[in-house]
Amino acid sequence: MPVLNAIEQGSRIPAWDAPVLLANALREACTAHYDPGRHCFDYVAFAQSPAYAALRLAARALADFECASLRIGLRLAFWLNVYNALVLHAVVARDARGGVRALADFFPGSQYVIGGHVFSLDAIEHGLLRVNAPRPGLGARLLRRDDPRLKLAPYVYDERVHFAMYSACRSSPAPSAYPAEGLDESLERATREYLAAHVRLGADGATLVVPKQLEWYAEDFGGERGVFEFVAARLQGESELHAVERLGFGLKLRYAEFDWTLNTA
């Protein structure tokens, strides 16, 4: 399985600056190559760009970065940025032009070494960001209780991370770099924007169509009722709001299909 920053060549980068280097490189990549209007990322241009070189440089610095030195309040933004950067890095380095699902091991096999520990996309998402919750459909927790990587988790779970993790496809949330300062506002904005784009009232006027993630991870939201409350609190469309006022919990939920097609330009 490829550890992407272990194969990078060049001189050592000051590890203490790794979180800032990573956030800046990710922000540069998104600004230069992501089109939010079309939800498209230009991976071809990115692969030849200074932004990709900067991201690889930041990834190299992560190898020696001691995550334990991060204050608890900084960890959630850090791991979100690592996840989103690793996705962009892996799409190019592993040639995922056919889509991330075309590589059977894209999520368990795309990895960084960070502070001497290997972290895959799955380990970051399920082991750290979801506080070692079982992966949907598998039942088992990804990390053992004595796994030293668990000590590097944010500790506080925030269900809005599901709308902040980029998965390089048409149904994915937008790629973004998340700041430690103002993270709550950034997560709420990302969540509301994603729901506004993907939630709609069904033709029968009594069904609310919501993103597939809310079915996969329903337990993260407190079950189906929790899903309904989470979405209802963030509805912006008039027809959807009126349906909630009229039907309340009688409004049925239907989960949209998830499109894994690479969102390339």
Side-chain angles (χ1 to χ4, degrees):
M1 291 184 182
V3 180
L4 297 183
N5 59 342
I7 63 176
E8 297 294 352
Q9 302 298 314
S11 59
R12 291 288 185 181
I13 308 299
W16 61 269
D17 211 21
V20 174
L21 285 173
L22 186 76
N24 288 344
L26 181 56
R27 190 174 298 110
E28 179 186 353
C30 295
T31 299
H33 301 289
Y34 176 66
D35 181 348
R38 297 189 301 136
H39 185 45
C40 287
F41 196 96
D42 191 342
Y43 299 100
V44 174
F46 174 58
Q48 306 299 321
S49 73
Y52 184 51
L55 190 144
R56 292 170 62 187
L57 195 69
R60 196 157 68 235
L62 286 175
D64 295 321
F65 177 66
E66 292 298 335
C67 312
S69 66
L70 273 179
R71 300 198 315 273
I72 297 299
L74 302 179
R75 291 186 180 184
L76 181 54
F78 172 73
W79 286 114
L80 282 171
N81 290 341
V82 171
Y83 186 93
N84 290 343
L86 180 51
V87 167
L88 290 179
H89 195 167
V91 168
V92 174
R94 302 191 64 193
D95 192 16
R97 286 175 293 181
V100 297
R101 293 296 285 269
L103 297 177
D105 70 338
F106 185 85
F107 293 98
S110 299
Q111 304 170 333
Y112 277 159
V113 171
I114 305 176
H117 299 290
V118 176
F119 292 89
S120 67
L121 288 167
D122 270 355
I124 296 168
E125 177 178 3
H126 306 294
L128 302 184
L129 294 174
R130 296 184 60 232
V131 197
N132 210 25
R135 286 175 291 183
L138 295 181
R141 297 183 187 278
L142 192 68
L143 305 180
R144 292 166 53 98
R145 290 185 178 181
D146 60 351
D147 193 310
R149 292 175 293 179
L150 284 175
K151 296 180 180 179
L152 307 175
Y155 292 112
V156 176
Y157 172 66
D158 192 319
E159 65 272 17
R160 295 174 298 179
V161 298
H162 290 294
F163 309 103
M165 287 184 285
Y166 179 60
S167 53
C169 62
R170 290 177 181 171
S171 289
S172 166
S176 184
Y178 287 89
E181 296 296 327
L183 179 60
D184 182 72
E185 292 82 0
S186 296
L187 284 176
E188 187 62 24
R189 180 169 57 253
T191 299
R192 288 179 177 271
E193 288 177 356
Y194 187 81
L195 293 179
H198 292 270
V199 174
R200 67 184 188 276
L201 190 65
D204 62 359
T207 303
L208 198 62
V209 182
V210 300
K212 190 69 172 179
Q213 297 97 308
L214 293 166
E215 180 180 33
W216 291 336
Y217 301 105
E219 293 307 310
D220 289 7
F221 296 86
E224 189 162 281
R225 180 161 182 147
V227 167
F228 180 89
E229 292 174 343
F230 182 89
V231 173
R234 294 168 173 82
L235 288 175
Q236 301 176 49
E238 288 189 11
S239 58
E240 290 84 1
L241 285 168
H242 289 160
V244 170
E245 292 175 0
R246 179 167 49 89
L247 297 172
F249 289 109
L251 189 62
K252 298 177 183 177
L253 293 182
R254 180 161 62 85
Y255 299 95
E257 291 301 313
F258 196 89
D259 188 348
W260 284 102
T261 306
L262 190 71
N263 64 322
T264 189

